[in-house]
Amino acid sequence: MENPVIILGAQSLGTTALDAFTSNDVVVYCLLDDDAKLQNSELNNVPVMGNTDDKELLKLLGKKCEVFVATEDSASRRSLTNMLRDEYEVVPVNAIHARASVAEHAWLGHGNLIGAGAVVASNAKLGNGCLIGANAVVEVGAELADYVQVGAGAVLNPGVKVEEQAFIGSGAIVVAGVKIGAKARIGAGSVVVADVPANQTVFGNPAQKV
């Protein structure tokens, strides 16, 4: 990546994204965050400058800077991504840690974060704005829709399908062929052996509705 990156969000997700970019020797120009307490500070020697809608800085996007959206809430990530596309005609770049493994024949959309030690296997598919935590595994042929979050160490077996804005907790295992509905939530450490409907929360081994 030739251009420096502006990261929208300077909290834990912004820190993870910053680590991913710097692991690849990508320059991060600055971070932006709406929390006034974080502004005019530094995160790992990179300045936190202003709000996520700072027009003076965002006008750098495209020719001079790339952008990555690192807000925790999936609805907020989607809203900011839409704003960037509509107002600035840019889409967020992917933040892939140097110690992650992404297969040559995996398919990735825009604005995904893939943490250290994570694996995205051949013919797996990620939509836009997905978060894949450290050491998580997305196995062969698994498909994630937009804004899915997969916690650290979670394993999605071959052929798993996960719909938009679903959340899969750290250390969870989703067995082969299972479908996870939109905005469903899988508790940390759960073992999911059956399909999970949209908006449902499940937990345990085997995972049951909460």
Side-chain angles (χ1 to χ4, degrees), residues 6 21 31 36 78 80 93-94 104 108 157 161 170 177 197 199 202 206-207:
I6 295 175
F21 286 120
L31 300 100
R78 183 169 62 178
L80 281 169
V93 294
N94 290 317
E104 180 181 354
L108 273 60
N157 284 167
K161 288 184 171 53
S170 298
N199 300 302
V202 299

Side-chain angles (χ1 to χ4, degrees), residues 112-163:
N112 296 296
L113 174 62
I114 302 176
V119 175
V120 180
S122 187
N123 295 97
K125 182 176 180 179
L126 273 60
N128 301 314
C130 294
L131 307 178
I132 310 298
N135 301 310
V137 178
V138 181
E139 293 195 11
V140 171
E143 295 185 10
L144 281 60
D146 296 345
Y147 306 104
V148 169
Q149 183 168 348
V150 180
V155 178
L156 307 185
N157 284 167
V160 165
K161 288 184 171 53
V162 186
E163 297 299 328

Side-chain angles (χ1 to χ4, degrees), residues 32 34 46 135 188:
L32 303 177
D34 295 334
V46 178
N135 301 310

Side-chain angles (χ1 to χ4, degrees), residues 11-201:
Q11 302 184 40
S12 60
L13 191 57
T15 304
T16 303
L18 176 59
D19 182 51
F21 286 120
T22 55
S23 76
N24 289 289
D25 296 321
V26 173
V27 173
V28 175
Y29 181 76
C30 70
L31 300 100
L32 303 177
D33 199 282
D34 295 334
D35 185 345
K37 294 177 183 175
L38 295 174
Q39 294 166 11
N40 301 311
S41 66
E42 288 190 345
L43 179 61
N44 298 346
N45 300 316
V46 178
V48 182
M49 289 189 171
N51 293 320
T52 56
D53 61 356
D54 187 316
K55 291 184 172 19
E56 284 302 305
L57 288 166
L58 293 180
K59 72 181 182 182
L60 298 173
L61 299 179
K63 294 181 180 178
K64 296 183 179 179
C65 286
E66 307 291 347
V67 67
F68 183 81
V69 179
T71 54
E72 310 286 338
D73 178 67
S74 61
S76 172
R77 283 203 310 284
R78 183 169 62 178
S79 175
L80 281 169
T81 300
N82 289 341
M83 178 273 290
L84 291 167
R85 185 186 64 229
D86 295 343
E87 294 186 26
Y88 297 94
E89 297 181 349
V90 296
V91 293
V93 294
N94 290 317
I96 302 172
H97 198 283
R99 295 200 306 275
S101 174
V102 178
E104 180 181 354
H105 293 288
W107 187 93
L108 273 60
H110 301 289
N112 296 296
L113 174 62
I114 302 176
V119 175
V120 180
S122 187
N123 295 97
K125 182 176 180 179
L126 273 60
N128 301 314
C130 294
L131 307 178
I132 310 298
N135 301 310
V137 178
V138 181
E139 293 195 11
V140 171
E143 295 185 10
L144 281 60
D146 296 345
Y147 306 104
V148 169
Q149 183 168 348
V150 180
V155 178
L156 307 185
N157 284 167
V160 165
K161 288 184 171 53
V162 186
E163 297 299 328
E164 256 193 50
Q165 296 187 60
F167 173 89
I168 298 169
S170 298
I173 297 172
V174 183
V175 303
V178 162
K179 294 179 176 62
I180 308 294
K183 298 184 180 179
R185 298 182 65 82
I186 312 300
S190 297
V191 178
V192 184
V193 298
D195 292 355
V196 178
N199 300 302
Q200 191 168 102
T201 299

